[in-house]
Amino acid sequence: MTHMNECIFPDPSKFEPRHFKKSAFLPPYSFVALGGGHRICPGYEFARLETLITIYHMEALLPKHFFF
């Protein structure tokens, strides 16, 4: 867990919002809430697909004059 690495974040057990202000100086993937790379959240693609399907059905069910 890189977000608990003392080399990256001093005193990692303490919540410090300033740790994330200078994100340009952080190594890539030092803190990724839902994971990144091969450890990405398995629900990410499902949620994306579910959102697209919902938008499609909303557009199909609403009257056409609603959008124009």
Side-chain angles (χ1 to χ4, degrees), residues 59 63-68:
E59 191 274 330
K64 296 298 179 190
H65 63 74
F66 184 76
F67 293 101
F68 298 105

Side-chain angles (χ1 to χ4, degrees), residues 27-59:
Y29 299 114
S30 59
F31 180 78
V32 181
L34 295 177
H38 68 282
R39 292 180 176 230
I40 196 163
C41 176
Y44 175 79
E45 187 63 28
F46 174 73
R48 189 184 75 77
L49 185 61
E50 190 175 47
T51 302
L52 291 173
I53 291 170
T54 302
I55 291 171
Y56 171 78
H57 282 287
M58 286 176 60
E59 191 274 330

Side-chain angles (χ1 to χ4, degrees), residues 2-28:
T2 57
H3 65 278
M4 295 298 287
N5 188 341
E6 289 190 14
C7 296
I8 299 171
F9 299 111
D11 197 14
S13 60
K14 184 179 178 186
F15 177 69
E16 289 286 339
R18 64 181 170 81
H19 285 167
F20 307 103
K21 282 189 175 183
K22 298 180 180 180
S23 61
F25 300 109
L26 296 176

